[in-house]
Amino acid sequence: MNQPQDTTPAISVRSLVKTFGRGAEMITALNNVSVDIRQNEFFTLLGPSGCGKTTLLRLIAGFELPDQGEVLLHGKEIAHLPPHKRPVNTVFQNYALFPHLSVSRNIAFGLEMLGWDKAKVTATVERMLELVKLEPLANRMPDQLSGGQQQRVALARALAPEPRVLLLDEPLAALDLKLRKDMQLELKRLQDETGITFVFVTHDQEEALTMSDRIAVMSNGLIQQVGTPHDIYYAPETRFVADFIGDINIIRGEVNSTSDGSMQVTLAGDLEMTLAGTASVGQSVAVAIRPERSHFAVVGAPETLSARVTDNVFFGAGTNIHLMLNNGQGFIVRIQGQESGCKPGDTVAIAIERDAAKVLDN
Amino acid sequence: MVAPADISPTSDSQKLARARQIDARRKRNTRLYLLLPGLVIIGLFGLMPLSITLVYSFLKPGSYGGVEWVFSLDAYVQFFVERDIFDDTLSPNWAYISIFSRSIGLSFGATLGALILGFPTAYYIASKPAHQRNFWLFLITLPFWTNLLIRTYAMLIIIRDQGVINLALMNAGIIDKPISILYTDTAVFIGLIYSYLPFMVLPLYASLEKLDLRLIEAAYDLYASRFKVLTKIILPLAKPGIVAGCILVFIPGLGAYITPELLGGGKKLMIGNLIAIQFGSSRNWPFGSAAALILMAVVMLALLLYVRHGAKGARHG
Ligand SMILES: Nc1ncnc2c1ncn2[C@@H]1O[C@H](COP(=O)(O)OP(=O)(O)OP(=O)(O)O)[C@@H](O)[C@H]1O
Ligand SMILES: [Mg+2]
């Protein structure tokens, strides 16, 4: 029982640089990216379009060679290996099912290429069909399947050879919302059942937050932050991460005094709080606060920000109250239901939850 | 004021059925009109000459060409068997059968050659960026800008004993006697490949261009080597182009006239030449007609077998 855990990362990417084109048209798709992806982890690459997610995945799969840096799989350098020599499989965004092969032949393809014997191939294909619940469709051709079914075949095909790592490039992007939610759960279940490391690409922050063990937020070829969904959501380190994920208030603060890792900051010229972080006295910093972690308080109560209501926006599950702070910056407070009890022009006081305010790096 | 008959379900479903009928008729008719011009051309210039040929093949030859309107199976009999002029005994007529099999062999070889040469060419063009492909396709179609006869004469000049190739090889001291290519099967073979290569490349290109490169990546990702990617993914997906290209080369190759006439020097006959002679110097129109129809039958049989086999292959994946 007490065997030492193997803590070698499943994938370790070190100082990867990848550029496309030459001269004036050169694009740096990855600009010195390093990240460790743990074994059996559901790891998500999240970022806006064009930030380099697919490029990173293709470097891991072997479809592209890096300009610099290395890719380690369970501690072994693989950057020089061609794709068919890497125990890594990909689920492509457009599924890339072989149109001339039936569902079961598609799933068997990788196994046959590996030279597995017939009986083992048949058994594995059957197990995979069961896993993705496609037994009745085994003999269909890909063009006779719905989008969601094709997606499952692509998954089964990539899982069948039992790769050490499964790469998924926006596999749910083409599905409608309902199916998407179902597939999110299904993917999570598959990952639990197989114990394979998943590297999942998405530009949908909600998807990333629900599914992942850890998330790497990328922008412009850089990794901005790596952390658990909770960290990424409540403790964004950079302005980009804070902005990219969910609604957030970012307000100005003045540093009054500092002491060993914490500092006194005056928010919006109104409220003094003790926040974690280091900056020099007199410096102006950006402070992020989630709308659902601030609340209304009695006007004039201590430790509150005063503000004026500008708008009420009902969005179904709740209402966003748009406010204007004393320093002219906007602020949003989120409440449950529709009854805010305040109207534009009212003066209100905002209390901020403990630890809800986070100083951003830049 | 209420008109219950109008909103009853039966009348609604009747209306829908009527609408469906009209819709179906409209679709059918539209298709027919679209088909008509093509049908007229094929009927007038395709089926009519074919019928004439069919009728002629069952008549007796006229002494100065043309036909005599007397029913006879002689043309067909003559094709397969020889009647001894002295004792009227019958023996298989190997002369014509061998011309037939030589033609099939040559055309088959040329088809294979064109496929082997054309596939890499088409693949190369299809893998170029879109704006460069047109240039390459233009180069492929360039030979069509000149008459086949002239191009074949040009080939004749290149490969003859005193031709460019032989002179160059002799001047370089590689050979001291010209290699005779002209008026051999080899010359006809090379000529056929040259003449029909574009007909192979174009359909191959058309199907390779549609090939999704991500499928190739997916195959590599699933542990396929380069060779396996070719045989398991690229070739099966290019199959429609391969079949079309082979048909487009094999059939005209089988009936080729100019190439064997010039490069085979009239000694190495192919079916096309045999048929032409019957309508020319031999003045045996019924025999020419019969030979043409036998050729057609062979081709159709081959196609039928191929399509049957091909369809089965596709179903089994
Ligand atoms: N083959 C290529 N040639 C030139 N530029 C490329 C190539 N592939 C990617 N790029 C560029 O590299 C950058 C990163 O691309 P990448 O495909 O990794 O983005 P992404 O994060 O996957 O975006 P998306 O969410 O839209 O898929 C982009 O600016 C893109 O234009
Ligand atoms: Mg992408």
Side-chain angles (χ1 to χ4, degrees):
Chain A
M1 283 301 288
N2 279 332
Q3 287 200 343
Q5 275 273 292
D6 177 10
T7 53
T8 326
I11 294 278
S12 184
V13 157
R14 306 237 174 103
S15 322
L16 271 193
V17 176
K18 178 70 191 173
T19 57
F20 292 106
R22 248 180 249 128
E25 283 170 26
M26 192 170 87
I27 295 165
T28 306
L30 292 179
N31 190 359
N32 204 349
V33 166
S34 299
V35 64
D36 281 347
I37 299 169
R38 296 175 194 145
Q39 290 182 30
N40 309 342
E41 179 169 51
F42 198 115
F43 191 88
T44 297
L45 298 171
L46 174 66
S49 187
C51 69
K53 307 180 296 286
T54 298
T55 305
L56 180 52
L57 223 55
R58 290 173 62 81
L59 282 166
I60 298 174
F63 299 130
E64 310 273 3
L65 295 176
D67 297 354
Q68 276 170 48
E70 40 186 19
V71 180
L72 305 181
L73 179 86
H74 288 256
K76 277 216 259 346
E77 165 69 57
I78 56 164
H80 61 282
L81 289 177
H84 63 276
K85 302 239 169 88
R86 301 187 186 199
V88 167
N89 287 141
T90 308
V91 177
F92 294 84
Q93 176 164 356
N94 68 336
Y95 316 141
L97 298 179
F98 304 128
H100 59 301
L101 301 179
S102 67
V103 167
S104 45
R105 296 287 315 279
N106 258 284
I107 299 174
F109 189 88
L111 312 178
E112 286 165 3
M113 292 303 120
L114 284 172
W116 287 20
D117 69 64
K118 266 223 164 76
K120 202 173 161 202
V121 171
T122 315
T124 309
V125 169
E126 252 158 44
R127 198 160 46 77
M128 284 299 139
L129 283 168
E130 197 181 327
L131 193 67
V132 296
K133 305 190 183 110
L134 279 180
E135 296 105 314
L137 306 183
N139 294 318
R140 292 257 190 105
M141 299 307 278
D143 61 4
Q144 299 170 318
L145 301 177
S146 73
Q149 291 163 344
Q150 289 182 25
Q151 214 278 326
R152 281 163 214 253
V153 179
L155 255 174
R157 185 179 71 174
L159 282 171
E162 292 162 12
R164 316 279 296 260
V165 175
L166 188 69
L167 308 174
L168 305 101
D169 193 355
E170 306 205 31
L172 308 180
L175 307 181
D176 65 55
L177 193 63
K178 174 80 174 64
L179 192 55
R180 208 177 158 130
K181 300 265 180 224
D182 291 348
M183 284 307 296
Q184 287 176 2
L185 295 179
E186 198 127 314
L187 272 181
K188 199 68 188 133
R189 173 181 68 88
L190 283 175
Q191 200 256 336
D192 284 343
E193 279 178 26
T194 56
I196 292 172
T197 309
F198 276 33
V199 183
F200 182 86
V201 164
T202 181
H203 59 247
D204 180 335
Q205 36 120 349
E206 204 181 311
E207 192 165 279
L209 293 173
T210 30
M211 300 177 72
S212 320
D213 294 324
R214 286 193 310 149
I215 300 172
V217 182
M218 293 182 69
S219 92
N220 276 325
L222 291 169
I223 292 189
Q224 295 273 338
Q225 184 176 352
V226 180
T228 62
H230 188 275
D231 284 349
I232 296 283
Y233 190 79
Y234 287 114
E237 279 164 9
T238 66
R239 187 176 192 118
F240 177 86
V241 175
D243 249 346
F244 188 70
I245 307 211
D247 290 329
I248 199 156
N249 297 301
I250 299 177
I251 57 180
R252 294 255 124 243
E254 293 277 329
V255 180
N256 300 331
S257 62
T258 61
S259 70
D260 202 25
S262 76
M263 51 199 180
Q264 294 291 113
V265 179
T266 305
L267 296 181
D270 200 7
L271 165 65
E272 193 175 69
M273 289 185 90
T274 308
L275 302 175
T278 49
S280 47
V281 174
Q283 198 186 327
S284 166
V285 291
V287 179
I289 303 158
R290 292 283 169 200
E292 64 274 23
R293 299 198 66 185
S294 45
H295 309 277
F296 289 123
V298 180
V299 177
E303 311 232 313
T304 60
L305 278 164
S306 71
R308 203 161 39 78
V309 178
T310 57
D311 207 357
N312 286 326
V313 178
F314 176 62
F315 62 87
T319 305
N320 281 338
I321 321 287
H322 292 246
L323 309 163
M324 170 101 75
L325 300 177
N326 282 349
N327 69 348
Q329 281 193 293
F331 196 94
I332 295 173
V333 173
R334 181 168 297 166
I335 61 162
Q336 303 284 310
Q338 200 174 358
E339 286 309 311
S340 66
C342 57
K343 56 184 189 304
D346 287 358
T347 300
V348 294
I350 311 162
I352 293 163
E353 277 180 31
R354 244 175 173 297
D355 302 329
K358 174 90 176 101
V359 177
L360 299 177
D361 278 353
N362 48 56
Chain B
M1 287 308 283
V2 186
D6 262 339
I7 52 164
S8 74
T10 30
S11 113
D12 265 5
S13 61
Q14 276 166 7
K15 275 185 196 161
L16 186 62
R18 274 262 317 275
R20 271 212 202 96
Q21 265 176 16
I22 294 171
D23 186 50
R25 198 185 314 147
R26 190 171 49 80
K27 277 182 187 151
R28 246 195 334 265
N29 289 348
T30 315
R31 277 194 213 120
L32 201 65
Y33 296 139
L34 291 174
L35 207 55
L36 216 58
L39 278 181
V40 168
I41 297 278
I42 290 176
L44 211 59
F45 301 111
L47 286 181
M48 243 163 60
L50 196 63
S51 317
I52 295 173
T53 314
L54 186 69
V55 172
Y56 276 16
S57 71
F58 289 106
L59 298 177
K60 276 187 183 284
S63 349
Y64 305 103
V67 287
E68 236 175 77
W69 285 86
V70 181
F71 177 81
S72 152
L73 285 174
D74 278 0
Y76 291 95
V77 173
Q78 186 191 347
F79 191 91
F80 294 105
V81 290
E82 215 167 9
R83 193 185 296 268
D84 196 296
I85 29 174
F86 298 112
D87 56 9
D88 269 10
T89 52
L90 300 176
S91 58
N93 191 340
W94 291 114
Y96 299 137
I97 294 171
S98 81
I99 290 180
F100 245 74
S101 46
R102 263 209 32 251
S103 300
I104 292 173
L106 269 172
S107 187
F108 184 80
T111 306
L112 211 65
L115 181 61
I116 291 167
L117 292 178
F119 194 88
T121 314
Y123 195 83
Y124 176 82
I125 300 175
S127 63
K128 286 264 128 188
H131 62 277
Q132 286 178 29
R133 290 180 199 160
N134 283 338
F135 169 73
W136 288 100
L137 287 178
F138 166 74
L139 287 187
I140 293 288
T141 52
L142 205 59
F144 293 129
W145 292 44
T146 320
N147 187 290
L148 177 62
L149 192 62
I150 294 169
R151 282 186 282 135
T152 310
Y153 264 116
M155 240 188 101
L156 187 150
I157 290 168
I158 293 170
I159 62 175
R160 67 182 171 172
D161 286 3
Q162 262 66 50
V164 180
I165 294 179
N166 275 317
L167 286 183
L169 287 177
M170 281 194 289
N171 283 343
I174 298 171
I175 52 173
D176 41 35
K177 206 157 63 186
I179 310 171
S180 306
I181 308 172
L182 196 58
Y183 307 139
T184 63
D185 276 352
T186 315
V188 178
F189 175 71
I190 297 173
L192 285 177
I193 292 186
Y194 166 70
S195 307
Y196 296 110
L197 189 57
F199 295 109
M200 180 62 86
V201 173
L202 291 177
L204 280 180
Y205 164 76
S207 64
L208 285 174
E209 181 229 23
K210 275 183 291 184
L211 189 77
D212 187 348
L213 292 181
R214 286 171 293 198
L215 295 178
I216 296 176
E217 276 189 352
Y220 277 128
D221 189 59
L222 291 163
Y223 314 106
S225 59
R226 291 166 68 93
F227 179 72
K228 288 284 185 190
V229 170
L230 179 70
T231 56
K232 296 278 176 182
I233 306 296
I234 300 176
L235 286 181
L237 290 175
K239 194 171 161 193
I242 295 174
V243 172
C246 287
I247 290 174
L248 285 181
V249 173
F250 182 71
I251 291 175
L254 200 54
Y257 172 69
I258 292 177
T259 312
E261 183 74 14
L262 293 184
L263 301 180
K267 285 186 285 181
K268 298 287 180 183
L269 286 189
M270 283 179 72
I271 313 168
N273 313 101
L274 178 68
I275 295 171
I277 289 171
Q278 305 313 314
F279 288 91
S281 52
S282 289
R283 294 201 184 121
N284 193 343
W285 290 22
F287 183 66
S289 302
L293 287 171
I294 291 169
L295 170 64
M296 205 175 93
V298 168
V299 167
M300 277 173 49
L301 202 73
L303 272 185
L304 208 69
L305 283 178
Y306 194 91
V307 168
R308 274 244 175 121
H309 170 83
K312 223 188 274 165
R315 225 180 298 126
H316 289 302

